[in-house]
Amino acid sequence: MSNVISRSLFFSLFMSLGTTFTWAQPTAPPEPGAIVFQTDFETPQQRSAWSASESASWEQDEQGTTRLCVSVPRDEATGGAMIQMPFDLSPYRGYQLVFECMAKADDVTKPSETFLGAKFMLHYSSESTGPHWQNENNVYGSFDWRKLRFTSTIADDAADAQIALGLQGSSGRVWFDEIKVFVFRKPPPTRPAPPLNPSPVFKGHDLPRLRGVMSPNNFRDEDLRTLGEQWNANVIRWQITRNWGRAGTERDLTEYDKWFDSELEDLDKALEAANRYGLKLVVDVHTPPGGRYDNMDLAIFHEPLYQNHFVKSWEKIARRYKGNSAVWGYDLVNEPVQNQPSPAGVADFLGTQVLAAKAIRAIDAEVPIIIAASEWDSAAGYRTLEPVDIPNVIYQVHMYKPHEYTHQGVRNNVKDLVYPGTIGHQKWDKEALRAVLEPVREFQLAYNVHIYAGEFSAIRWAPGAAEYLSDVIDLFEEYDWDWTYHAFREWDGWSVEHGADPDDHQPTAQPTDRKDLLLKWFAKNQKPK
C-alpha cells in the first residue's frame, strides 16, 4: 500500500487550491443536507492532494473529464492498491456524515470478505471507540457508473482521518470520480444527567430478569418444552425470518403476505406452547416487507409502498394478539441499517418504528414495544439515538463486538482469534466489552429506560467463547438488562449444544461449557405467572 502524504503537506496544498475544492469549514454548526466537502479530479491541485500508487493513474474520457483508475492484475489480487487523502473531521465530531462518489468497475473479482473489493472508504482513529473503517460492502463485478454511498457516525474524538480509493483483496479495474460529503444528522442533544430519584423503570413484566434465547426458524413443540421445562428459560425471541443477509428479496407483497400469514400460524402455536412451558415471547419481525438493498439498507426506510405495508403488518399482529398473556413485547424491526437519508416524506429508521408503534397503540395501549438503534442495533447506534415519545417502550441492543472474533470463520477463513486477547490490534477483555456497551448504559441512565439485549453470541469454534459469553452476560446482569442468546436450534454454528469442531454437526454427548454457562444463569430464573 502506498505511503500517505503528510497532514502538513496536505493542508499546505489545500490552502493553495483556490476554488478547485469545495470544503465547507463551518462558521456555524452545519445543518442536515449541508455539503461539507466536494471534489473531482479536474485540476493538478486536486489530484496532488492524493497519495500515489503504481496501480493508480489519472485517465481522461472522450469529453476530457479526468477520473481515477485503479488496476490490479489477477496474480496480485490478495493485496491492496489504494490511494488516500487526509480529511479533517474535527468540525464534525458527533455528526453522522454521508460519503458518496461515482464509480465504475470492470471485472473486479469477488473478494473473500464483504468489506473488500472496490473501495471508497473512510478511516479514522479514536481512543474511545477504536479504529474506524467504513465503506459500502459487496462492491465487485462489472458495472457502469453508479453511486457508492455510506453513512458514518463520527466519534467525539475522531482523528487522523483519511478517505481512501482503490481495490483491496480483488483484481480488475475500477474508476472513481465526484466525491461529496454532506451532513445526515447533527449530534443529538446532550444527554440529561441521570435523575437523582428515578421512578420505577417500565419493563413490561414483574420478574427479576428475563433470560432466554433466540428461536429456531420453525415451530417445534419439543424445542419450547426443552427450553421452558428442562433449561428453565423464561423468554424466547421468536424470529419471523427468511432470506437473511440477502438483498433484493421481499419485493412481491402478495407473495410476502402469503409467507407472513403462514409465519403467524407458526406464531400462534409458539404462543400457546410458551404459555404451557412458562415462557414469555418477543415477536420479532426479522424480515420486513421490501427486504434490504445491496448496501443492506432496509427498503422500509426509503419506499412508501413498503413502509406503509410494514405498518399494516404490525397492525395485523396487534389485532391478532391483543391481550395474549404470553407476549412480552413487539420487536418492531431487526437490526436497522440506513446508509443514505430517506426521501422527502418518508420516515427514517427511527421514524418508521414510531409509525408502527403509534399504529399498534391505536389497537393496544399496553403491550410493550421494543425499539432498535441504528447501525445493526449495535451499541454504537446509541451514540445518536434519541428516546421516542411512545408509552411502554423498551430499547434493544445487539452485542457481537469484536465482530472479527465472534464471527470468525462464518464468511471468511479467519480462525484461532482468542478471547481474552489482542484482536485487531486491540486488547479485548471484560473492560473492553464494557467500553463498547457504554453508550447504551449512558442512554439507559439518562432516560431511565429498560434495556433488552436481544442478540449476542460467539461462534462455537471461537477459542474462549465461553469466557466471552460469561463476560458479556455479567455486564448485562450488572446493568439489569434482560437478554436472549443467539440462537437455539437454528444454525448449528451458534448452538451451545454443539462442540467446537466446525465439521461436526451433531450435538455433543456431554454438555459444552457454553451450554453449562447458559443453564447456570437460567437456573436463577423465575417463571411468569
Side-chain angles (χ1 to χ4, degrees):
M1 188 171 294
S2 58
N3 293 327
V4 182
I5 62 174
S6 71
R7 178 173 290 271
S8 60
L9 174 59
F10 168 70
F11 284 112
S12 64
L13 286 169
F14 170 70
M15 294 303 293
S16 69
L17 296 185
T19 60
T20 56
F21 273 95
T22 300
W23 195 321
Q25 294 290 348
T27 56
E31 297 296 319
I35 297 172
V36 299
F37 177 73
Q38 190 169 12
T39 185
D40 51 28
F41 306 121
E42 294 305 310
T43 69
Q45 293 94 333
Q46 288 172 302
R47 298 191 290 270
S48 65
W50 296 84
S51 63
S53 167
E54 293 181 356
S55 301
S57 61
W58 306 105
E59 295 185 356
Q60 286 190 337
D61 63 12
E62 295 176 353
Q63 288 74 40
T65 301
T66 302
R67 280 81 180 259
L68 170 69
C69 178
V70 178
S71 180
V72 174
R74 226 169 241 283
D75 59 355
E76 298 178 15
T78 56
M82 308 280 286
I83 67 169
Q84 299 91 1
M85 182 192 76
F87 188 82
D88 183 15
L89 287 176
S90 58
Y92 313 112
R93 290 169 178 159
Y95 280 75
Q96 284 186 301
L97 299 180
V98 177
F99 292 75
E100 63 179 36
C101 76
M102 298 300 294
K104 181 175 75 167
D106 180 26
D107 197 25
V108 174
T109 55
K110 184 176 182 178
S112 59
E113 299 271 10
T114 59
F115 57 82
L116 300 176
K119 299 193 76 168
F120 164 54
M121 180 179 72
L122 172 71
H123 167 61
Y124 67 77
S125 60
S126 164
E127 290 189 8
S128 63
T129 63
H132 177 98
W133 292 271
Q134 196 159 359
N135 53 270
E136 183 173 327
N137 289 354
N138 295 307
V139 183
Y140 61 90
S142 297
F143 53 84
D144 203 354
W145 288 103
R146 70 177 178 89
K147 191 170 289 182
L148 301 184
R149 177 187 280 160
F150 61 90
T151 298
S152 184
T153 300
I154 310 305
D156 291 337
D157 59 352
D160 301 320
Q162 301 169 347
I163 295 176
L165 301 169
L167 285 168
Q168 192 172 16
S170 293
S171 63
R173 288 195 299 171
V174 62
W175 292 262
F176 298 96
D177 199 6
E178 298 178 15
I179 296 171
K180 182 169 72 172
V181 183
F182 61 92
V183 174
F184 185 9
R185 293 189 181 93
K186 297 171 66 175
T190 302
R191 304 283 190 220
L196 294 177
N197 297 296
S199 59
V201 172
F202 173 79
K203 297 183 178 181
H205 63 81
D206 57 3
L207 300 173
R209 183 86 74 250
L210 291 179
R211 305 180 182 97
V213 297
M214 284 278 292
S215 73
N217 290 326
N218 301 105
F219 172 75
R220 293 181 294 269
D221 188 86
E222 173 61 21
D223 292 338
L224 272 73
R225 188 189 69 80
T226 297
L227 278 176
E229 294 188 349
Q230 296 181 14
W231 288 26
N232 202 47
N234 60 8
V235 65
I236 184 168
R237 182 172 181 245
W238 191 263
Q239 50 183 328
I240 299 174
T241 183
R242 67 175 179 177
N243 297 322
W244 174 245
R246 293 176 56 190
T249 68
E250 325 311 328
R251 307 292 293 176
D252 182 337
L253 290 179
T254 300
E255 190 279 332
Y256 177 88
D257 283 345
K258 183 178 179 181
W259 165 77
F260 192 78
D261 288 344
S262 70
E263 290 293 309
L264 296 186
E265 292 175 4
D266 245 15
L267 178 56
D268 292 343
K269 300 172 188 175
L271 285 165
E272 190 276 330
N275 261 325
R276 281 189 283 117
Y277 300 130
L279 293 161
K280 298 295 265 184
L281 188 144
V282 176
V283 181
D284 159 33
V285 176
H286 220 73
T287 304
R292 294 186 186 267
Y293 300 157
D294 287 335
N295 69 353
M296 292 292 104
D297 272 28
L298 286 168
I300 56 174
F301 308 147
H302 299 283
E303 299 181 63
L305 174 66
Y306 298 113
Q307 187 170 99
N308 293 337
H309 205 81
F310 173 72
V311 173
K312 290 177 182 177
S313 297
W314 272 111
E315 289 174 334
K316 180 186 295 186
I317 290 173
R319 285 190 293 267
R320 187 169 181 139
Y321 301 113
K322 181 179 180 180
N324 192 308
S325 61
V327 173
W328 175 40
Y330 289 153
D331 185 350
L332 298 179
V333 60
N334 180 67
E335 297 187 339
V337 175
Q338 185 166 12
N339 285 295
Q340 55 189 358
S342 302
V346 180
D348 67 2
F349 88 94
L350 190 57
T352 301
Q353 294 180 77
V354 169
L355 289 175
K358 288 182 176 179
I360 292 168
R361 282 286 169 263
I363 298 167
D364 188 334
E366 302 298 329
V367 63
I369 290 174
I370 299 172
I371 297 292
S374 63
E375 301 180 46
W376 302 95
D377 202 9
S378 66
Y382 275 77
R383 298 203 303 261
T384 55
L385 185 66
E386 296 184 56
V388 298
D389 186 19
I390 301 290
N392 295 351
V393 162
I394 294 161
Y395 293 86
Q396 181 177 193
V397 65
H398 292 181
M399 177 61 176
Y400 291 103
K401 290 288 187 180
H403 193 272
E404 57 266 53
Y405 169 77
T406 61
H407 283 65
Q408 59 185 287
V410 175
R411 291 188 177 92
N412 54 43
N413 296 319
V414 176
K415 59 181 181 180
D416 298 330
L417 298 178
V418 180
Y419 179 89
T422 300
I423 303 165
H425 308 292
Q426 182 179 349
K427 178 184 176 183
W428 284 94
D429 55 16
K430 187 174 181 178
E431 292 312 303
L433 301 179
R434 185 188 300 276
V436 168
L437 294 172
E438 179 57 29
V440 191
R441 180 63 169 163
E442 181 185 73
F443 185 93
Q444 173 191 12
L445 296 177
Y447 299 109
N448 194 34
V449 294
H450 188 51
I451 303 295
Y452 164 50
E455 288 188 31
F456 67 101
S457 199
I459 202 70
R460 61 183 169 93
W461 48 80
E467 187 168 355
Y468 171 85
L469 296 174
S470 179
D471 284 350
V472 170
I473 293 172
D474 282 350
L475 292 169
F476 296 165
E477 294 284 328
E478 178 183 340
Y479 297 155
D480 196 27
W481 298 354
D482 295 321
W483 52 266
T484 44
Y485 169 83
H486 181 272
F488 176 74
R489 295 182 182 175
E490 185 209 50
W491 175 51
D492 68 34
W494 307 112
S495 170
V496 298
E497 297 176 290
H498 290 68
D501 181 356
D503 297 321
D504 184 357
H505 300 286
Q506 298 300 316
T508 60
Q510 297 297 319
T512 67
D513 52 2
R514 293 167 294 113
K515 179 180 177 181
D516 284 341
L517 174 70
L518 291 188
L519 293 185
K520 179 194 78 170
W521 283 107
F522 293 165
K524 301 175 183 289
N525 283 342
Q526 295 182 22
K527 290 290 191 174
K529 297 176 183 178

